[in-house]
Amino acid sequence: MRLTQMPSEFQKALPVLEKIKEAGFEAYFVGGSVRDALLNRPIHDVDIATSSYPEETKQIFSRTVDIGIEHGTVLVLEGEEEYEVTTFRTEDVYVDYRRPSAVSFVRSLEEDLKRRDFTVNAFALDETGEIVDLFDGLKDLENQILRAVGVASERFNEDALRIMRGFRFQASLGFELETETFKAMKVLTPLLEKISIERTFVEFDKLLLAPYWRVGLSSMIESQAYDYLPDMAGSQDKLQSLFDLEDNFTFESSEQAWAALLWALEVEDAQQFLKHWKTSRQFAKQVQDLLTILSLREGGALSKRDCYQFNLDSLLQAENLRKAQGKEVNPQAITETYESLTFHDKKEMQINGDILIKEYGYQPGPELGDVLDEIEYAIVDGVLENDRQAIHDYLRGRK
Ligand code: ATP
Ligand code: MG
């Protein structure tokens, strides 16, 4: 099959293919971008596969960056764009289910396509727009089916992350899992325990953010994969409760998705949970903020002091999630309260510890901190002006 119209992203990248071909090697567009082009979806990350070995690729282009030579990947800078150019490879023996024990570079496109996960991810596209489709991926694309390349159980045994990827692509494409493929996934979910958490997080996160997250999540639940994910064993019913969110709701950020997940799981110690998922501290803090806001909101409207602790974006994301939970919401009131605050950062306070010590005779120590907190909250509550004279009068009245 030939693409009648090459999307502009590929046209822009054609010189890269052509230069590799001029040097006597094969080169193709591969992976998700070809799938997305065939589905008329927006394309991101145009990936290129080639028969040239990394050192050979580097000879062809004047501007390259070594980003993963051991995996065969060279970043090629072409005009304003950058492309990952990866040598055809096989990943033959997986000893620990985590990563290939050896990556072998090969000169054959077929070998490279064979090691890819799903038939719809295993296309190659040449410079003329011709689609190489060795595994009937076009038919699967037409029928909206996700099918493992080759023998499903072998492929998931080689790399169990593909199980999570299967759920994730279901969530992003809305496709069905082919029967044998799903059967193998269900049998092999215990292998997920052996996959690095960081890789699993990426796939689960993409699943939650995808438009058909309900589809991906319901397969994940059906397969009982959760039993092999950090702190999620036995959580079928709680996970199911995510389906109570408003129809057609999609998560607007990772933080919001994970806050909804932790809320559904009734996680008591979010920091611990997210530590087990090895997320960044900043991410954990943002999810924690959302959970705290959700809890505060259960008690009614947010006070000025409540709003002061968070940024407006978090406050509104939590409110949106509440809306999806079918609860009463008032984003406008929250915005107004937030905007009515005298300041959002105590650095803007017209007093500090130094002034208290030098001008008011306070000693460094806990009492100083208490007085500063008291002033800060009095200003936040709107009972004291953020003004030197007003603070002065307040301090005198306090003594
Ligand atoms: P997205 O559009 O979300 O980036 P993608 O299909 O490009 O989806 P990537 O994770 O970027 O997915 O991987 C690029 C390609 O590499 C895939 O399309 C697939 O062919 C191959 N691939 C990636 N990870 C694996 C894996 N674990 N096992 C087999 N093939 C994989
Ligand atoms: Mg990609």
Side-chain angles (χ1 to χ4, degrees), residues 89-140:
R89 58 189 198 195
T90 59
E91 294 166 12
D92 21 34
V93 201
Y94 285 70
V95 277
D96 60 359
Y97 307 101
R98 277 167 186 264
R99 65 188 89 84
S101 54
V103 175
S104 322
F105 299 145
V106 290
R107 300 286 190 189
S108 142
L109 172 68
E110 182 177 352
E111 288 301 313
D112 183 88
L113 295 180
K114 265 205 254 180
R115 58 105 192 157
R116 292 179 182 268
D117 46 9
F118 299 98
T119 61
V120 297
N121 286 347
F123 299 116
L125 170 67
D126 76 8
E127 72 286 356
T128 68
E130 189 67 33
I131 300 279
V132 179
D133 174 24
L134 303 181
F135 313 104
D136 275 343
L138 285 171
K139 207 165 84 198
D140 290 337

Side-chain angles (χ1 to χ4, degrees), residues 204-231:
F204 194 15
D205 186 56
K206 286 186 175 177
L207 183 162
L208 292 171
L209 287 178
Y212 305 99
W213 62 270
R214 286 166 187 274
V215 184
L217 187 63
S218 82
S219 294
M220 200 181 119
I221 294 173
E222 194 184 332
S223 73
Q224 299 183 348
Y226 52 81
D227 275 341
Y228 308 98
L229 300 178
D231 290 1

Side-chain angles (χ1 to χ4, degrees), residues 306-323:
D306 291 335
C307 290
Y308 176 61
Q309 298 177 62
F310 307 100
N311 59 49
L312 184 59
D313 184 51
S314 295
L315 291 163
L316 294 178
Q317 284 203 43
E319 197 69 356
N320 266 339
L321 187 54
R322 267 179 72 80
K323 178 164 177 281

